[in-house]
Amino acid sequence: MSSRRLSRAVAALLGLVLLAGLGYALRWRSNPSPCPYAQRHAIDLPRPVITRSRLCDVLEPRPGERLLEVGPGTGYYTGTVARAVEPSGTVHAVDVQSEMVEHLRTRTRAAGNLPVEPVRGDARALPYPDDTFDAAYLVLVLGEVPDQERALDELERVLKPDGRLVVGESLPDPHFVGFERLRRRAERRGLTFNGRVGTRAGYFARFDASAAERPPR
């Protein structure tokens, strides 16, 4: 085979791979679902824009606070935030997959019994009463929830009147939620935009609850 024909064959193969990947991403986006436990190693890869330290800078976790993490997966961010609320605070980590919950429980024990409460639960029906948490956060998760509006309603419900919410998003996640759309939806729920770090393709955005602005429940 000539070098020209070989180059064409390689280009055609790469094109097919790209098309297959795009098709997979589109199908996944149109059918929201969490990352399967079998692919858990992928969610522990480094995240250069939405880093652990940036999350803490925006979230501002404080000792003694009760925080909520929705969709912790294997706990990429959980341990860092949990250390920030020690010694008397707690991070309640809610995941819809029982395998992820058990994995996180094992991981936090191995790290020295961090103040983490892994809980199996659904973002659309959080197992907590109103006004429970000082702050809540979810990273690369909102777009995976089949009913994002309901999930945002629930997050607003369980936050204290002066609570804060941080949402992290980054491409190439097929479930990426753009900032402007997120901001409009959060503000409809009485959550006030407080700030954002990162870029349009990867960011942490913070919203603060206000008793005066929150819609009636």
Side-chain angles (χ1 to χ4, degrees), residues 14-15 20-21 25 45-46 55 66-67 71 74 96 109 141 176 192:
L14 289 174
L45 294 174
L55 171 62
R66 191 179 191 189
L67 304 188
T74 57
V96 73
R109 286 173 179 168
V141 171
F176 178 79
T192 302

Side-chain angles (χ1 to χ4, degrees), residues 55-136:
L55 171 62
C56 286
D57 288 344
V58 178
L59 183 64
E60 297 184 298
R62 301 154 192 157
E65 288 192 318
R66 191 179 191 189
L67 304 188
L68 171 67
E69 179 178 12
V70 174
T74 57
Y76 184 89
Y77 297 100
T78 315
T80 301
V81 176
R83 292 184 183 92
V85 300
E86 288 181 321
S88 56
T90 311
V91 175
H92 291 251
V94 176
D95 202 288
V96 73
Q97 297 183 79
S98 57
E99 298 92 343
M100 291 292 192
V101 173
E102 290 306 315
H103 185 109
L104 180 59
R105 182 172 286 114
T106 299
R107 184 172 183 168
T108 53
R109 286 173 179 168
N113 288 318
L114 294 171
V116 176
E117 293 288 342
V119 176
R120 185 176 183 278
D122 193 317
R124 298 167 294 181
L126 293 170
Y128 301 100
D130 296 355
D131 306 334
T132 297
F133 295 101
D134 297 290

